[in-house]
Amino acid sequence: MQVEPTVAAEDVSPVTRPAPTDHAVVDVIAGRWSPRAFDPDRPVPRSTLVTLLEAARWAPSSGNAQPWRYLVFDDAVPDARERARDCLTPGNAWARRAPTLLVTLAARNWPGSDEANRHAIHDVGAASYALALQAVAEGLAVHQMAGFDAALARERFAIPDDMELMTFIAVGHPGSTASLDDKRRRRERAPRVRRPVRGTAFVGGWGGPGLTAVPRDQSPD
């Protein structure tokens, strides 16, 4: 009897990689990250995928316009999934191993109007972040990507002009990092870093002091 080789636990990308946060945040936020190693042999159950999109459904949006739309590519229609994979740039070839791909779209105008909704892109991002957090709770990996041929995707999937293509999202169970090239394997294991809050939030207006946990005149830094 032939025995299938096993994959060492340390070679499988984890679902979560808790961030070294400066201030305590809830675990699902601290742990969410964007792995690149997926298991192509473990499909995402349709019921679970619907749950992820239910999370997206309840994201906030300006005027409750709900501008997000998602195209779904999984093993239900394998040829469509293959055509979606062909839209990925070479740098995102690793995502071809994900059993499910989503394409996120933003409705450019307010519902029933020709007036542009300038908040639509923001709101689609909020919906996809809710989806990503739900994926963590479901034990799934999610990676959102900007590297794809938008013109090709629009043509292949008959996307109307009033829909803005935003991202591709790879969804699946974590897989072996051996599937990645050396560069991406290193990135998979590299320390997680972010700009500190004081470099992002400014008190009193642009150019004001960076926000800290205590007022500037009481802060040791």
Side-chain angles (χ1 to χ4, degrees):
M1 181 178 67
Q2 183 177 4
V3 178
E4 292 294 326
T6 58
V7 177
E10 62 268 22
D11 292 333
V12 175
S13 287
V15 171
T16 61
R17 287 186 65 203
T21 61
D22 294 333
H23 309 280
V25 298
V26 294
D27 291 346
V28 69
I29 292 176
R32 185 222 60 82
W33 71 300
S34 301
R36 296 174 180 81
F38 288 87
D39 186 342
D41 299 320
R42 293 184 66 188
V44 178
R46 180 54 61 88
S47 59
T48 303
L49 186 57
V50 169
T51 298
L52 302 189
L53 291 164
E54 180 73 10
R57 175 189 175 211
W58 289 100
S61 63
S62 179
N64 198 27
Q66 305 167 55
W68 47 79
R69 304 291 188 276
Y70 294 86
L71 304 184
V72 178
F73 302 98
D74 60 9
D75 54 3
V77 188
D79 61 327
R81 180 176 61 188
E82 197 61 30
R83 289 186 289 127
R85 288 170 171 170
D86 289 342
C87 295
L88 295 169
T89 58
N92 283 333
W94 51 265
R96 298 180 70 96
R97 291 173 58 87
T100 299
L101 286 176
L102 304 176
V103 173
T104 70
L105 309 170
R108 288 174 169 155
N109 299 330
W110 293 100
S113 170
D114 292 331
E115 181 185 355
N117 176 4
R118 69 183 186 89
H119 313 292
I121 293 173
H122 171 277
D123 295 345
V124 173
S128 292
Y129 186 54
L131 182 153
L133 294 180
Q134 185 66 39
V136 172
E138 301 292 334
L140 293 173
V142 162
H143 193 117
Q144 303 182 55
M145 299 167 284
F148 62 92
D149 187 328
L152 180 61
R154 185 176 295 278
E155 176 186 355
R156 285 193 167 182
F157 303 114
I159 298 170
D161 291 341
D162 62 352
M163 289 289 164
E164 182 75 24
L165 275 85
M166 300 306 305
T167 62
F168 270 49
I169 304 179
V171 184
H173 293 87
S176 172
T177 59
S179 65
L180 303 173
D181 59 33
D182 289 343
K183 175 182 176 181
R184 287 167 180 80
R185 193 178 303 117
R186 287 193 299 271
R187 291 179 68 180
E188 202 81 348
R189 298 168 177 169
R192 299 185 61 194
V193 295
R194 290 292 191 277
R195 183 173 54 246
V197 170
R198 64 178 178 273
T200 299
F202 309 102
V203 178
W206 190 263
L211 183 68
T212 59
V214 294
R216 173 68 67 174
D217 59 359
Q218 299 177 32
S219 175
D221 59 357

